[in-house]
Amino acid sequence: TSAVTAAVFLASRPAPVLPDTGFLRQPQVLAFVPFSKSTLWRRIGERTFPQPVKLSVRVTVWRAEDVRHWIASQPPGG
């Protein structure tokens, strides 16, 4: 069935790897944090998640180092 095919496809994809340096776009950031896009932007507004960098009118990124530091600063278990 298509559900089995999808499960096999997802299981066969390598886990995302957070780079040491560089920039991450929003979908990449969301692959490493345990919340939705709406929660990401709410936390940015509350200043409880790293602020993004605006590279151009249509390009917003996060520094990989900032995201890595945020992840490391979270208490174990959530």
Side-chain angles (χ1 to χ4, degrees):
T1 68
S2 61
V4 171
T5 304
V8 169
F9 173 74
L10 291 174
S12 67
R13 292 187 348 193
V17 176
L18 182 60
D20 292 330
T21 62
F23 293 123
L24 303 171
R25 300 290 298 267
Q26 180 179 288
Q28 295 169 300
V29 171
L30 291 172
F32 296 103
V33 297
F35 40 77
S36 68
K37 177 171 68 170
S38 298
T39 300
L40 172 70
W41 288 101
R42 181 176 50 78
R43 286 179 173 234
I44 290 166
E46 295 170 348
R47 299 206 176 274
T48 60
F49 192 80
Q51 296 296 304
V53 176
K54 205 73 168 137
L55 294 183
S56 71
V57 174
R58 296 174 55 121
V59 178
T60 300
V61 297
W62 285 260
R63 290 179 189 89
E65 300 93 326
D66 293 346
V67 174
R68 184 178 289 283
H69 181 265
W70 181 86
I71 291 170
S73 71
Q74 299 309 295

